Amino acid sequence: MNPSSPRVPRAPQTTQPGAPARPHRPWEDAVALVTGSVAMSFGVVLLNAVGAVTGGLAGVAFLISYSSGWTFGLVFFLINIPFYVLSLMRMGVAFTIKTLCVVVMISVLTSVHPLFFSIESIDPFYACILGGMFMGLGMLILFRHRASAGGFGILALFLQDRFRLSAGLVQLGFDAVIVLLALLVAAPMIVLASVSGVVVLNVILAMNHRPGRYLG
């Protein structure tokens, strides 16, 4: 090195190499759970506005809601109950409590959002793609704070932790089956729009939530 050349300062390291990542603080988890729940519930409202569906238990809740007339929030809360057993056995008490809080917030917020705005007209593909984006970002936030929106999300995280499978790809497999079942209650064009939303949701998860990538 030329002794007359200026030395470029190195960026300070925030963590020591090989040091374990610091866990999120409780207030950070709380903010993340609220943010993720708001994003996911807003995506649900967009899908519901055009009669579309999504994957996972949310998709099952849509199918039951459309065929029975029950509200999405009530159905979503009830069908998640059995999955808390798996969550307690495999993911721990803290994860289960966080997930229960998220499910309750999503169930309530899907009825609260329409009190503040109404959707008179929206293109189904636009609604599904935007809804899938909001739901994917919401799920990503929840996953990174050791929580989920319940249902297949719990199973996807369990399979990732146990077998190092991508949670996004696992979720995509479940979602494909749910969307195909939507042909029983929705027009083919709406189902096609739903598929676009499911793809967006799972691409967000597959790209941003891989085993070993996130250490927070």
Side-chain angles (χ1 to χ4, degrees), residues 24 27-40 95 98 102 105 133-149 157 201 204-205 208-209 214 216:
H24 292 108
W27 70 266
E28 293 175 325
D29 282 338
V31 172
L33 296 190
V34 172
T35 304
S37 299
V38 170
M40 289 201 66
F95 179 92
K98 290 179 183 178
V102 168
M105 283 192 285
M133 184 179 298
F134 272 106
M135 295 183 72
L137 293 173
M139 291 183 69
L140 179 63
I141 293 171
L142 297 175
F143 283 0
R144 288 188 167 182
H145 285 261
R146 301 301 298 164
S148 78
L157 279 182
L201 186 159
I204 290 174
L205 291 182
N208 297 283
H209 193 71
Y214 184 74

Side-chain angles (χ1 to χ4, degrees), residues 146-192:
R146 301 301 298 164
S148 78
F152 296 143
I154 296 174
L155 186 57
L157 279 182
F158 164 69
L159 293 175
Q160 175 170 288
D161 291 344
R162 184 69 179 271
F163 301 107
R164 311 300 291 174
L165 300 175
S166 168
L169 294 179
V170 172
Q171 189 84 29
L172 181 60
F174 292 137
D175 291 351
V177 176
I178 300 300
V179 172
L180 287 176
L181 291 176
L183 288 169
L184 300 175
V185 297
M189 187 60 65
I190 296 297
V191 175
L192 185 60

Side-chain angles (χ1 to χ4, degrees), residues 8-129:
V8 178
R10 298 177 60 184
Q13 290 186 335
T14 56
T15 58
Q16 295 295 327
R22 293 187 301 174
H24 292 108
R25 299 179 178 90
W27 70 266
E28 293 175 325
D29 282 338
V31 172
L33 296 190
V34 172
T35 304
S37 299
V38 170
M40 289 201 66
S41 59
F42 187 75
V44 167
V45 170
L46 290 173
L47 297 180
N48 195 41
V50 296
V53 299
T54 187
L57 276 198
V60 176
F62 271 123
L63 296 177
I64 296 176
S65 176
Y66 292 152
S67 59
S68 68
W70 292 8
T71 64
F72 172 89
L74 176 61
V75 175
F76 184 66
F77 177 80
L78 292 177
I79 62 177
N80 264 292
I81 293 176
F83 286 85
Y84 296 132
V85 177
L86 173 63
S87 180
L88 279 172
M89 293 174 57
R90 298 296 186 180
M91 307 302 291
V93 176
F95 179 92
T96 304
I97 293 176
K98 290 179 183 178
T99 297
L100 176 60
C101 291
V102 168
V103 171
V104 171
M105 283 192 285
I106 292 175
S107 300
V108 172
L109 287 170
T110 52
S111 297
V112 171
H113 286 308
L115 299 177
F116 295 92
F117 68 93
S118 61
I119 301 177
E120 302 296 336
S121 177
I122 186 170
D123 180 81
F125 281 90
Y126 178 80
C128 290
I129 291 174

